Amino acid sequence: MRQGGAAMVYKLADALSLHRLILNYMNPVTNVSFDDTAVAFSSKSDAELYKMYLLFKSMNSNTFVKVGGSLLNLALNLHLPVKFIIKPTIFNHFCGGETIEESERAIQELARYNIGTILDYSVEGEGDEKSFNATRDELLRTVEKAKGNPNIPFSVFKVTGLIDIKLLEKVQARQELTADERAAFERGRERVNAICQRCFQANVRVFVDAEESWIQETIDNLTYEMMELYNREKAIVYNTYQLYRHDRLEVIKRDYEQAVERGYFVGAKLVRGAYMEKERRRAQEDGYQDPINPNKKASDALFDEAVRYCVEHLDRIALCAGTHNENSSYLLMELMEEKGIAPNDERIFFAQLYGMSDNLSYNLAKAGYNVAKYVPYGPVEAVMPYLLRRANENTAIAGQSSREFGLIRKEMERRKKAKR
Ligand SMILES: Cc1cc2nc3c(=O)[nH]c(=O)nc-3n(C[C@H](O)[C@H](O)[C@H](O)COP(=O)(O)OP(=O)(O)OC[C@H]3O[C@@H](n4cnc5c(N)ncnc54)[C@H](O)[C@@H]3O)c2cc1C
């Protein structure tokens, strides 16, 4: 029975994808096409576009990224001066700068096209009390920067930047804590509260990022506590739901019911999820049920179901679709249209990462939707793991060039033709 139901959902998702593919050309519903590269790259001069072309061309090579990535890591570990190569190239493309001040250029560039910035302090600290406090203080500075600034509609943080990951895991596993551990957890909780409280006072919405399943329940519980404290009038604190996990739609529904019962609003950032390989490996090694959907199609279907559920329950839910997936983004636009929800309704945001999927961000913003981009920042050495993940994502997939690389080439061709 359940399997039959799932098959129906997939068939429906397939039919809708095909439907959208056709609509993409006629486009009667939303008048937005993510294939419009002229809009997508409107902020880029020919020279900037060519620089992007060279960057994505290098990343498109699997061998280059593999070998280059290892060499860069080695060079950084040996303290060799490679920053001068990284900073003007891959770093500048995917990051705002090394500090909040340096990120101003990216904030202004996005703001000119009505795209908001989410300053993402991407530094993984040493994991001790000193680094947790330093991260809290830096996050508080991002909140100050966002206060009253329409170009920065959200703040964001990861709980592992504020509380020891081993402690989060121990709490989730319901292992007995020592007195020191209990005190450390309480200090971590206070750091989380300090940020959420400041966001509440400054009227800045804040995303709590989702992480690995073995600590996510602890993160969820902290976030529910914050939502109950600060989301009485509207959604200030947003939890993140990873729809590659097969249980998450049920969790969203449960969270909605709880919010109704206790009288607060749910902030829901929907993502597919970033830790799939790690999750599968651990489930297999430790012999428990894999928390991830069996395949991509199932994750896509569940993500879209979650989008539908949130749009149906906007009375209590404010939604942010954190995705680069075009079908899911078209779906959300169509649902808004169907329900007569204005594109700039404060309860709905689209979000992407800086330096990626500008075809979504710029086209959505031009059509009047609320769009924001994560703009990571931090010292070059510290954001290297983030940059290597982006490089890996943009390698050629099964001989096909990455989506971004294809779009850049398409726009270069278009500009060449236009000049003839
Ligand atoms: C603004 C923003 C915020 C984000 N915040 C977070 C966060 O807090 N926590 C977090 O974990 N991630 C976060 N992400 C990353 C996100 O989870 C995805 O990894 C990434 O965006 C790619 O998914 P997609 O929806 O853009 O599109 P797609 O490219 O269509 O989907 C790729 C995703 O599908 C899923 N998938 C792929 N293959 C399979 C398979 N075989 N079986 C099951 N599922 C599969 C995986 O989740 C994969 O990342 C964020 C992304 C954005 C844009």
Side-chain angles (χ1 to χ4, degrees):
M1 181 67 191
R2 272 180 79 165
Q3 271 195 347
M8 282 281 286
V9 170
Y10 299 154
K11 273 193 190 138
L12 191 65
D14 266 354
L16 281 174
S17 294
L18 184 65
H19 173 65
R20 267 192 292 284
L21 203 68
I22 298 163
L23 284 187
N24 200 5
Y25 291 100
M26 309 175 198
N27 227 333
V29 184
T30 58
N31 274 326
V32 176
S33 165
F34 297 140
D35 286 334
D36 191 336
T37 55
V39 173
F41 299 109
S42 47
S43 70
K44 303 281 182 269
S45 67
D46 287 355
E48 285 166 336
L49 195 66
Y50 186 64
K51 195 173 155 195
M52 268 173 84
Y53 167 81
L54 292 178
L55 178 69
F56 277 86
K57 188 169 188 238
S58 327
M59 289 192 297
N60 202 51
S61 154
N62 296 334
T63 323
F64 181 87
V65 170
K66 231 185 205 161
V67 177
S70 312
L71 285 177
L72 274 181
N73 265 336
L74 183 68
L76 283 170
N77 287 338
L78 295 172
H79 300 288
L80 296 177
V82 283
K83 193 170 149 181
F84 74 97
I85 305 175
I86 303 168
K87 194 155 180 196
T89 54
I90 185 168
F91 179 88
N92 267 357
H93 183 79
F94 289 111
C95 299
E98 295 197 71
T99 58
I100 295 178
E101 292 71 32
E102 263 187 43
S103 305
E104 192 60 40
R105 177 190 55 89
I107 299 170
Q108 292 307 325
E109 171 201 319
L110 294 172
R112 266 202 306 282
Y113 295 86
N114 287 326
I115 299 171
T117 289
I118 304 158
L119 283 169
D120 179 18
Y121 181 57
S122 300
V123 173
E124 286 154 31
E126 302 295 311
D128 55 17
E129 208 66 15
K130 196 169 149 223
S131 81
F132 294 139
N133 285 337
T135 300
R136 174 202 56 206
D137 295 345
E138 182 62 27
L139 290 167
L140 288 171
R141 280 191 281 278
T142 66
V143 182
E144 268 329 292
K145 175 80 183 165
K147 185 180 170 189
N149 188 341
N151 300 329
I152 310 183
F154 291 91
S155 283
V156 63
F157 69 92
K158 278 194 170 49
V159 171
T160 47
L162 301 167
I163 309 180
D164 180 34
I165 189 164
K166 287 273 165 245
L167 192 51
L168 291 168
E169 195 178 339
K170 219 169 160 181
V171 169
Q172 180 154 329
R174 287 155 183 83
Q175 286 172 19
E176 202 171 328
L177 303 186
T178 64
D180 279 354
E181 285 170 335
R182 275 200 303 277
F185 188 72
E186 189 46 37
R187 286 194 300 275
R189 205 191 130 282
E190 263 316 307
R191 284 187 281 264
V192 170
N193 184 47
I195 294 159
C196 294
Q197 186 179 51
R198 192 68 201 104
C199 283
F200 172 72
Q201 290 161 347
N203 194 22
V204 172
R205 290 161 286 203
V206 61
F207 293 138
V208 183
D209 272 351
E211 306 190 55
E212 292 90 345
S213 59
W214 48 94
I215 55 169
Q216 188 57 44
E217 191 187 316
T218 322
I219 296 173
D220 286 343
N221 288 337
L222 282 166
T223 312
Y224 299 145
E225 201 185 323
M226 298 299 132
M227 285 207 237
E228 194 161 356
L229 279 172
Y230 303 118
N231 289 9
R232 290 280 163 193
E233 303 290 323
K234 62 176 187 178
I236 288 283
V237 180
Y238 283 58
N239 202 11
T240 302
Y241 299 89
Q242 298 157 311
L243 279 308
Y244 67 5
R245 288 186 57 177
H246 43 70
D247 63 348
R248 288 298 102 167
L249 179 56
E250 291 315 309
V251 170
I252 297 175
K253 292 181 180 174
R254 188 198 65 197
D255 291 356
Y256 170 81
E257 300 297 339
Q258 179 169 301
V260 172
E261 209 177 286
R262 300 192 185 173
Y264 62 89
F265 290 82
V266 176
K269 169 160 67 89
L270 305 184
V271 299
R272 279 180 172 73
Y275 309 97
M276 186 175 73
E277 278 90 18
K278 217 172 173 185
E279 291 282 356
R280 290 218 200 280
R281 204 179 323 121
R282 180 157 159 149
Q284 197 174 26
E285 280 168 12
D286 292 2
Y288 59 85
Q289 196 203 355
D290 187 347
I292 309 296
N293 288 313
N295 49 49
K296 169 84 164 62
K297 220 171 174 182
S299 292
D300 291 346
L302 205 63
F303 186 95
D304 289 352
E305 264 314 294
V307 168
R308 278 192 197 88
Y309 181 84
C310 291
V311 172
E312 291 289 336
H313 295 85
L314 285 178
D315 57 316
R316 283 274 158 191
I317 299 182
L319 152 75
C320 173
T323 182
H324 297 157
N325 185 292
E326 296 183 8
N327 281 331
S328 298
S329 305
Y330 278 127
L331 170 72
L332 178 51
M333 282 191 289
E334 286 169 20
L335 292 172
M336 289 169 76
E337 178 79 24
E338 244 171 67
K339 299 215 164 292
I341 301 167
N344 66 349
D345 189 304
E346 271 300 298
R347 295 167 300 179
I348 301 183
F349 262 80
F350 295 78
Q352 290 84 38
L353 307 182
Y354 187 65
M356 286 185 75
S357 293
D358 283 346
N359 63 317
L360 269 73
S361 316
Y362 283 73
N363 280 297
L364 283 163
K366 186 162 185 259
Y369 292 90
N370 294 319
V371 186
K373 282 179 103 92
Y374 269 40
V375 175
Y377 77 93
V380 173
E381 301 76 15
V383 297
M384 269 315 285
Y386 177 85
L387 292 179
L388 290 174
R389 278 202 298 278
R390 296 290 82 81
N392 274 312
E393 263 172 36
N394 282 289
T395 51
I397 310 146
Q400 297 242 310
S401 61
S402 79
R403 173 88 175 126
E404 302 287 332
F405 187 42
L407 289 167
I408 295 164
R409 284 198 305 192
K410 187 178 165 204
E411 176 59 7
M412 283 172 75
E413 263 315 300
R414 192 196 66 78
R415 289 189 189 184
K416 215 156 85 187
K417 274 194 193 138
K419 280 182 194 147
R420 273 185 203 143

Short mmCIF file of all heavy atoms in Angstrom, two decimals, residues 118 158 208-211 240 242 244 269 271-276 280 292-297 299-300 303 320-325 351-353 372 374 393, ligand 1:
data_model
loop_
_atom_site.label_atom_id
_atom_site.label_comp_id
_atom_site.label_asym_id
_atom_site.label_seq_id
_atom_site.Cartn_x
_atom_site.Cartn_y
_atom_site.Cartn_z
N ILE A 118 22.85 36.77 2.62
CA ILE A 118 22.84 36.10 3.93
C ILE A 118 24.30 35.87 4.27
O ILE A 118 24.96 35.02 3.65
CB ILE A 118 22.09 34.75 3.85
CG1 ILE A 118 20.66 34.94 3.33
CG2 ILE A 118 22.07 34.07 5.22
CD1 ILE A 118 20.04 33.69 2.72
N LYS A 158 25.46 27.73 12.20
CA LYS A 158 25.47 26.28 12.41
C LYS A 158 25.67 26.04 13.91
O LYS A 158 26.58 26.65 14.50
CB LYS A 158 26.66 25.65 11.67
CG LYS A 158 26.41 25.39 10.21
CD LYS A 158 27.49 24.46 9.63
CE LYS A 158 27.12 24.00 8.25
NZ LYS A 158 26.71 25.06 7.33
N VAL A 208 18.76 28.38 11.19
CA VAL A 208 19.63 27.43 11.87
C VAL A 208 19.88 26.31 10.85
O VAL A 208 18.95 25.60 10.48
CB VAL A 208 18.97 26.86 13.15
CG1 VAL A 208 19.93 25.93 13.87
CG2 VAL A 208 18.49 27.99 14.06
N ASP A 209 21.10 26.20 10.37
CA ASP A 209 21.40 25.20 9.34
C ASP A 209 21.22 23.79 9.87
O ASP A 209 21.39 23.54 11.07
CB ASP A 209 22.86 25.38 8.86
CG ASP A 209 22.96 26.38 7.71
OD1 ASP A 209 21.92 26.80 7.18
OD2 ASP A 209 24.10 26.72 7.33
N ALA A 210 20.89 22.87 8.97
CA ALA A 210 20.76 21.45 9.35
C ALA A 210 22.09 20.75 9.13
O ALA A 210 22.86 21.10 8.22
CB ALA A 210 19.68 20.79 8.51
N GLU A 211 22.37 19.74 9.95
CA GLU A 211 23.65 19.04 9.86
C GLU A 211 23.42 17.52 9.84
O GLU A 211 22.39 17.07 9.32
CB GLU A 211 24.57 19.52 10.99
CG GLU A 211 24.70 21.07 10.97
CD GLU A 211 25.76 21.64 11.88
OE1 GLU A 211 26.92 21.22 11.78
OE2 GLU A 211 25.42 22.52 12.71
N THR A 240 15.90 24.10 9.66
CA THR A 240 16.16 23.60 8.31
C THR A 240 15.73 22.15 8.22
O THR A 240 16.07 21.34 9.10
CB THR A 240 17.66 23.74 7.96
OG1 THR A 240 18.02 25.13 8.07
CG2 THR A 240 17.94 23.27 6.54
N GLN A 242 15.86 18.74 5.94
CA GLN A 242 16.57 18.10 4.82
C GLN A 242 15.65 17.01 4.23
O GLN A 242 15.47 15.95 4.84
CB GLN A 242 17.86 17.46 5.31
CG GLN A 242 18.86 18.43 5.91
CD GLN A 242 19.83 17.73 6.85
OE1 GLN A 242 19.43 16.99 7.74
NE2 GLN A 242 21.11 17.99 6.68
N TYR A 244 16.11 15.01 1.87
CA TYR A 244 16.68 13.72 1.47
C TYR A 244 16.46 12.69 2.58
O TYR A 244 16.67 11.52 2.40
CB TYR A 244 18.14 13.81 1.04
CG TYR A 244 19.23 14.17 2.06
CD1 TYR A 244 19.01 14.32 3.42
CD2 TYR A 244 20.53 14.34 1.59
CE1 TYR A 244 20.03 14.63 4.29
CE2 TYR A 244 21.57 14.64 2.46
CZ TYR A 244 21.31 14.79 3.82
OH TYR A 244 22.32 15.10 4.69
N LYS A 269 13.18 26.37 6.52
CA LYS A 269 14.04 26.39 5.33
C LYS A 269 14.08 24.97 4.81
O LYS A 269 14.45 24.04 5.54
CB LYS A 269 15.46 26.88 5.68
CG LYS A 269 16.46 26.65 4.53
CD LYS A 269 17.69 27.54 4.65
CE LYS A 269 18.58 27.25 5.82
NZ LYS A 269 19.64 26.23 5.54
N VAL A 271 15.63 22.19 2.36
CA VAL A 271 16.78 21.86 1.49
C VAL A 271 16.70 20.36 1.20
O VAL A 271 15.96 19.63 1.85
CB VAL A 271 18.14 22.19 2.16
CG1 VAL A 271 18.27 23.67 2.48
CG2 VAL A 271 18.37 21.35 3.42
N ARG A 272 17.48 19.90 0.23
CA ARG A 272 17.51 18.45 0.01
C ARG A 272 18.47 17.81 1.02
O ARG A 272 18.14 16.80 1.61
CB ARG A 272 17.88 18.15 -1.44
CG ARG A 272 16.70 18.28 -2.37
CD ARG A 272 17.06 18.00 -3.81
NE ARG A 272 15.89 17.94 -4.68
CZ ARG A 272 15.16 18.99 -5.07
NH1 ARG A 272 15.46 20.18 -4.64
NH2 ARG A 272 14.12 18.83 -5.88
N GLY A 273 19.64 18.42 1.24
CA GLY A 273 20.57 17.89 2.24
C GLY A 273 21.95 17.67 1.64
O GLY A 273 22.08 17.28 0.49
N ALA A 274 22.97 17.92 2.46
CA ALA A 274 24.33 17.99 1.93
C ALA A 274 25.25 16.85 2.40
O ALA A 274 26.40 16.82 2.03
CB ALA A 274 24.95 19.32 2.33
N TYR A 275 24.76 15.93 3.21
CA TYR A 275 25.69 14.95 3.81
C TYR A 275 25.36 13.51 3.42
O TYR A 275 25.54 12.58 4.21
CB TYR A 275 25.67 15.09 5.35
CG TYR A 275 25.87 16.50 5.83
CD1 TYR A 275 24.79 17.32 6.18
CD2 TYR A 275 27.16 17.05 5.92
CE1 TYR A 275 24.98 18.63 6.60
CE2 TYR A 275 27.35 18.35 6.34
CZ TYR A 275 26.26 19.13 6.67
OH TYR A 275 26.45 20.43 7.09
N MET A 276 24.87 13.33 2.19
CA MET A 276 24.33 12.01 1.81
C MET A 276 25.34 10.87 1.96
O MET A 276 25.03 9.85 2.59
CB MET A 276 23.81 12.08 0.38
CG MET A 276 23.11 10.82 -0.04
SD MET A 276 22.38 10.99 -1.67
CE MET A 276 23.82 10.94 -2.69
N ARG A 280 24.95 7.68 4.51
CA ARG A 280 24.81 6.30 4.04
C ARG A 280 25.91 5.41 4.62
O ARG A 280 25.67 4.29 5.05
CB ARG A 280 24.88 6.25 2.51
CG ARG A 280 23.69 6.87 1.78
CD ARG A 280 23.36 6.04 0.54
NE ARG A 280 22.57 6.74 -0.46
CZ ARG A 280 21.25 6.90 -0.41
NH1 ARG A 280 20.57 6.47 0.63
NH2 ARG A 280 20.61 7.51 -1.39
N ILE A 292 18.37 8.22 4.60
CA ILE A 292 18.23 8.95 3.33
C ILE A 292 17.30 8.19 2.38
O ILE A 292 17.27 6.95 2.38
CB ILE A 292 19.62 9.11 2.65
CG1 ILE A 292 20.64 9.69 3.63
CG2 ILE A 292 19.55 9.96 1.38
CD1 ILE A 292 20.37 11.07 4.14
N ASN A 293 16.57 8.93 1.57
CA ASN A 293 15.69 8.32 0.56
C ASN A 293 16.48 7.39 -0.34
O ASN A 293 17.67 7.58 -0.56
CB ASN A 293 15.08 9.42 -0.32
CG ASN A 293 14.03 10.21 0.42
OD1 ASN A 293 13.17 9.65 1.08
ND2 ASN A 293 14.12 11.53 0.33
N PRO A 294 15.80 6.37 -0.91
CA PRO A 294 16.55 5.39 -1.72
C PRO A 294 17.19 5.98 -2.97
O PRO A 294 18.20 5.46 -3.43
CB PRO A 294 15.48 4.36 -2.10
CG PRO A 294 14.17 5.02 -1.84
CD PRO A 294 14.40 6.01 -0.75
N ASN A 295 16.62 7.02 -3.53
CA ASN A 295 17.21 7.59 -4.76
C ASN A 295 16.85 9.08 -4.88
O ASN A 295 16.07 9.61 -4.10
CB ASN A 295 16.73 6.82 -6.01
CG ASN A 295 15.23 6.65 -6.00
OD1 ASN A 295 14.49 7.61 -5.80
ND2 ASN A 295 14.77 5.42 -6.19
N LYS A 296 17.46 9.72 -5.90
CA LYS A 296 17.28 11.17 -6.09
C LYS A 296 15.82 11.51 -6.35
O LYS A 296 15.29 12.51 -5.86
CB LYS A 296 18.19 11.60 -7.25
CG LYS A 296 17.97 13.00 -7.79
CD LYS A 296 18.72 14.02 -6.97
CE LYS A 296 18.90 15.37 -7.60
NZ LYS A 296 17.69 16.11 -7.91
N LYS A 297 15.17 10.64 -7.15
CA LYS A 297 13.77 10.89 -7.51
C LYS A 297 12.90 11.00 -6.25
O LYS A 297 12.01 11.86 -6.15
CB LYS A 297 13.29 9.70 -8.34
CG LYS A 297 12.43 10.07 -9.50
CD LYS A 297 12.24 8.82 -10.33
CE LYS A 297 11.26 9.12 -11.43
NZ LYS A 297 10.99 7.94 -12.24
N SER A 299 13.93 11.88 -3.26
CA SER A 299 14.23 13.14 -2.56
C SER A 299 13.53 14.31 -3.25
O SER A 299 12.99 15.20 -2.59
CB SER A 299 15.75 13.41 -2.55
OG SER A 299 16.40 12.47 -1.74
N ASP A 300 13.54 14.29 -4.58
CA ASP A 300 12.87 15.36 -5.34
C ASP A 300 11.37 15.38 -5.02
O ASP A 300 10.79 16.45 -4.76
CB ASP A 300 13.05 15.16 -6.85
CG ASP A 300 14.49 15.39 -7.29
OD1 ASP A 300 15.27 15.95 -6.49
OD2 ASP A 300 14.84 15.02 -8.42
N PHE A 303 10.78 16.64 -1.45
CA PHE A 303 11.03 18.09 -1.37
C PHE A 303 9.80 18.84 -1.89
O PHE A 303 9.29 19.76 -1.25
CB PHE A 303 12.28 18.47 -2.19
CG PHE A 303 12.68 19.92 -2.05
CD1 PHE A 303 13.65 20.31 -1.13
CD2 PHE A 303 12.09 20.91 -2.83
CE1 PHE A 303 14.02 21.64 -0.99
CE2 PHE A 303 12.45 22.25 -2.70
CZ PHE A 303 13.42 22.62 -1.77
N CYS A 320 11.33 29.05 3.25
CA CYS A 320 12.42 29.44 2.35
C CYS A 320 12.85 28.19 1.59
O CYS A 320 13.21 27.18 2.21
CB CYS A 320 13.60 30.00 3.15
SG CYS A 320 15.03 30.29 2.06
N ALA A 321 12.78 28.25 0.26
CA ALA A 321 13.22 27.11 -0.56
C ALA A 321 14.70 27.29 -0.85
O ALA A 321 15.07 28.09 -1.71
CB ALA A 321 12.41 27.04 -1.84
N GLY A 322 15.56 26.59 -0.12
CA GLY A 322 17.01 26.68 -0.31
C GLY A 322 17.42 25.64 -1.34
O GLY A 322 17.76 24.51 -0.98
N THR A 323 17.33 26.03 -2.60
CA THR A 323 17.58 25.02 -3.64
C THR A 323 18.08 25.63 -4.94
O THR A 323 17.76 26.77 -5.25
CB THR A 323 16.28 24.21 -3.92
OG1 THR A 323 16.56 23.21 -4.90
CG2 THR A 323 15.15 25.08 -4.43
N HIS A 324 18.84 24.81 -5.68
CA HIS A 324 19.28 25.18 -7.03
C HIS A 324 18.48 24.40 -8.06
O HIS A 324 18.79 24.41 -9.24
CB HIS A 324 20.76 24.89 -7.21
CG HIS A 324 21.65 25.69 -6.30
ND1 HIS A 324 22.91 25.31 -5.95
CD2 HIS A 324 21.43 26.87 -5.67
CE1 HIS A 324 23.44 26.20 -5.14
NE2 HIS A 324 22.56 27.16 -4.94
N ASN A 325 17.48 23.66 -7.59
CA ASN A 325 16.71 22.81 -8.49
C ASN A 325 15.64 23.63 -9.21
O ASN A 325 14.79 24.27 -8.59
CB ASN A 325 16.07 21.68 -7.66
CG ASN A 325 15.35 20.68 -8.53
OD1 ASN A 325 14.33 21.00 -9.14
ND2 ASN A 325 15.88 19.48 -8.59
N ALA A 351 16.24 30.77 -2.02
CA ALA A 351 17.65 31.07 -1.67
C ALA A 351 18.61 30.15 -2.40
O ALA A 351 18.34 28.96 -2.59
CB ALA A 351 17.85 30.95 -0.16
N GLN A 352 19.72 30.74 -2.82
CA GLN A 352 20.77 29.98 -3.48
C GLN A 352 22.12 30.38 -2.86
O GLN A 352 22.17 31.26 -2.02
CB GLN A 352 20.81 30.27 -5.00
CG GLN A 352 19.64 29.70 -5.79
CD GLN A 352 18.43 30.61 -5.75
OE1 GLN A 352 18.57 31.84 -5.79
NE2 GLN A 352 17.24 30.03 -5.66
N LEU A 353 23.19 29.71 -3.33
CA LEU A 353 24.53 30.04 -2.84
C LEU A 353 25.19 31.05 -3.78
O LEU A 353 24.99 30.99 -5.00
CB LEU A 353 25.40 28.78 -2.76
CG LEU A 353 24.85 27.59 -1.97
CD1 LEU A 353 25.86 26.44 -1.96
CD2 LEU A 353 24.51 27.98 -0.52
N ALA A 372 17.37 35.49 -1.86
CA ALA A 372 18.59 35.83 -1.12
C ALA A 372 19.65 34.78 -1.40
O ALA A 372 19.33 33.64 -1.74
CB ALA A 372 18.29 35.89 0.38
N TYR A 374 23.27 32.90 0.11
CA TYR A 374 24.29 32.72 1.15
C TYR A 374 25.58 33.30 0.59
O TYR A 374 26.01 32.89 -0.49
CB TYR A 374 24.54 31.23 1.39
CG TYR A 374 23.70 30.57 2.45
CD1 TYR A 374 22.36 30.87 2.61
CD2 TYR A 374 24.25 29.60 3.29
CE1 TYR A 374 21.61 30.24 3.58
CE2 TYR A 374 23.49 28.96 4.27
CZ TYR A 374 22.17 29.29 4.40
OH TYR A 374 21.41 28.67 5.36
N GLU A 393 31.47 19.92 -6.80
CA GLU A 393 30.11 19.94 -7.35
C GLU A 393 30.09 20.35 -8.82
O GLU A 393 29.16 20.03 -9.54
CB GLU A 393 29.28 20.99 -6.60
CG GLU A 393 28.43 20.43 -5.49
CD GLU A 393 27.82 21.57 -4.70
OE1 GLU A 393 27.46 22.61 -5.28
OE2 GLU A 393 27.73 21.41 -3.49
C1 LIG B 1 20.42 28.51 0.45
C2 LIG B 1 20.85 27.12 0.75
C3 LIG B 1 20.96 26.71 2.06
C4 LIG B 1 21.36 25.40 2.37
N1 LIG B 1 21.42 24.99 3.66
C5 LIG B 1 21.70 23.69 3.95
C6 LIG B 1 21.65 23.19 5.28
O1 LIG B 1 21.37 23.92 6.24
N2 LIG B 1 21.92 21.87 5.49
C7 LIG B 1 22.22 21.01 4.45
O2 LIG B 1 22.41 19.81 4.69
N3 LIG B 1 22.29 21.46 3.18
C8 LIG B 1 22.04 22.77 2.91
N4 LIG B 1 22.09 23.21 1.61
C9 LIG B 1 22.60 22.30 0.53
C10 LIG B 1 21.46 21.46 0.00
O3 LIG B 1 21.06 20.54 1.00
C11 LIG B 1 21.84 20.65 -1.25
O4 LIG B 1 22.95 19.85 -0.99
C12 LIG B 1 22.15 21.46 -2.48
O5 LIG B 1 21.45 22.65 -2.51
C13 LIG B 1 21.79 20.63 -3.73
O6 LIG B 1 20.42 20.34 -3.77
P1 LIG B 1 19.38 21.15 -4.68
O7 LIG B 1 18.03 21.12 -4.07
O8 LIG B 1 19.95 22.48 -4.91
O9 LIG B 1 19.31 20.45 -6.09
P2 LIG B 1 19.60 19.11 -6.82
O10 LIG B 1 20.93 19.30 -7.48
O11 LIG B 1 18.43 18.81 -7.66
O12 LIG B 1 19.72 17.95 -5.78
C14 LIG B 1 20.92 17.39 -5.32
C15 LIG B 1 20.57 16.81 -3.97
O13 LIG B 1 19.65 15.70 -4.12
C16 LIG B 1 19.89 14.73 -3.13
N5 LIG B 1 20.28 13.47 -3.80
C17 LIG B 1 21.19 13.34 -4.82
N6 LIG B 1 21.34 12.04 -5.16
C18 LIG B 1 20.54 11.33 -4.33
C19 LIG B 1 20.28 9.93 -4.18
N7 LIG B 1 20.89 9.01 -4.94
N8 LIG B 1 19.40 9.55 -3.22
C20 LIG B 1 18.77 10.46 -2.44
N9 LIG B 1 18.96 11.80 -2.55
C21 LIG B 1 19.84 12.23 -3.47
C22 LIG B 1 21.05 15.25 -2.28
O14 LIG B 1 20.50 15.93 -1.19
C23 LIG B 1 21.76 16.22 -3.23
O15 LIG B 1 22.48 17.23 -2.53
C24 LIG B 1 21.69 24.50 1.29
C25 LIG B 1 21.58 24.94 -0.03
C26 LIG B 1 21.17 26.22 -0.31
C27 LIG B 1 21.06 26.62 -1.75
#
